[in-house]
Amino acid sequence: MEQIKNVIFDLGGVLVGLDAERCRRAFRHLGMNAIADIIDPCYPAEMIGQLERGDIDYQEACDKMRTIANAPDITNEQIEWAYGEFLIDTPVEKLRMLEQLRKKGYKTYVLSNNNPISMKRVKEMFKADGHDMDYYFDKIYLSYQLRELKPNEVVFRRMVADSGMKPEESLFIDDGQRNVDTALRLGFGVYMPAEGEDFSHLFSDMLG
């Protein structure tokens, strides 16, 4: 990996632990079974995709969820809690790995399908070792700001244009096969970790 200068990380399933079943249980606890049935950690249902693409705001997403689930009395705060159950933690070891990469001169980025509500919780998780999330990355690219979702090539092209990175000098780490396929097609080095995998071995030479 001598030529790698940039490392791009997905969040959920890579840097942030996910538990889709815990999220489904939370929605079922609220009586929103129809929402529980469409929770997918890699490829969101259309309504959630609209939120993550920035086509609708959080209030509109909550209204849609209440309509789909026929649960008009469920509050936005209850929905925020249930959806937040998707996210487990960001291990300190991964935060320190990011810190070491930056200290060694590598540029680090996030490219994530995400939404503003989940990001509130993610940013709190990233404080586990005493730093804000921005400390660990040169830039964070989020779908609702880019107005498009992975695996669309547009997302990657916008990141490249904004950052000036060269795909052939960049390693993209994501747990979604279609996302990895798109990155590979565009010339990125890629790695798709297995669920729960410690992928720090990728950086043994870079940090040695």
Side-chain angles (χ1 to χ4, degrees):
M1 284 192 176
E2 293 84 0
Q3 66 187 33
I4 293 297
K5 297 179 180 178
N6 315 294
V7 187
I8 306 108
F9 297 89
D10 182 28
L11 285 175
V14 175
L15 294 178
V16 179
L18 297 180
D19 190 338
E21 188 52 41
R22 188 172 77 164
C23 181
R24 295 184 190 107
R25 285 197 303 269
F27 276 112
R28 291 190 185 105
H29 176 76
L30 296 178
M32 303 183 81
N33 293 341
I35 303 303
D37 291 342
I38 62 175
I39 295 297
D40 186 320
C42 291
Y43 306 108
E46 179 55 28
M47 178 269 302
I48 296 173
Q50 288 173 340
L51 177 63
E52 296 194 340
R53 197 165 47 235
D55 294 341
I56 60 175
D57 63 22
Y58 178 60
Q59 180 64 50
E60 291 171 307
C62 288
D63 290 342
K64 283 177 176 283
M65 289 187 191
R66 282 186 282 264
T67 298
I68 291 169
N70 191 25
D73 296 330
I74 299 300
T75 67
N76 290 6
E77 291 74 20
Q78 287 173 303
I79 291 172
E80 180 176 343
W81 164 76
Y83 202 72
E85 290 295 283
F86 219 144
L87 308 168
I88 303 172
D89 64 0
T90 300
V92 167
E93 310 83 67
K94 290 186 177 181
L95 297 177
R96 292 178 180 171
M97 175 190 71
L98 293 168
E99 184 177 36
Q100 288 303 307
L101 283 170
R102 298 202 75 191
K103 285 181 176 179
K104 288 287 188 176
Y106 297 98
K107 291 191 172 183
T108 57
Y109 301 90
V110 162
L111 183 61
S112 174
N113 288 349
N114 225 303
N115 65 77
I117 303 307
S118 292
M119 283 307 299
K120 282 172 51 180
R121 186 156 177 170
V122 168
K123 287 178 180 179
E124 287 302 311
M125 290 177 175
F126 265 82
K127 293 179 180 179
D129 203 31
H131 303 288
D132 289 336
M133 188 174 183
D134 288 341
Y135 171 82
Y136 297 102
F137 302 103
D138 289 84
K139 192 150 184 185
I140 297 168
Y141 295 96
L142 304 171
S143 57
Y144 65 92
Q145 296 169 337
L146 296 170
R147 304 303 298 270
E148 190 51 83
L149 296 170
K150 298 179 293 184
N152 194 311
E153 287 187 10
V154 169
V155 174
F156 294 87
R157 295 189 188 281
R158 287 176 181 165
M159 176 181 67
V160 168
D162 181 76
S163 66
M165 71 174 66
K166 296 179 180 179
E168 63 271 18
E169 296 176 347
S170 307
L171 174 64
F172 175 66
I173 303 174
D174 194 292
D175 64 335
Q177 184 65 61
R178 284 185 282 173
N179 302 335
V180 167
D181 290 345
T182 297
L184 188 61
R185 190 164 60 247
L186 294 174
F188 289 84
V190 299
Y191 188 78
M192 190 172 74
E195 183 177 353
E197 178 186 345
D198 174 8
F199 53 83
S200 59
H201 60 88
L202 292 174
F203 308 116
S204 55
D205 291 340
M206 296 164 69
L207 298 178

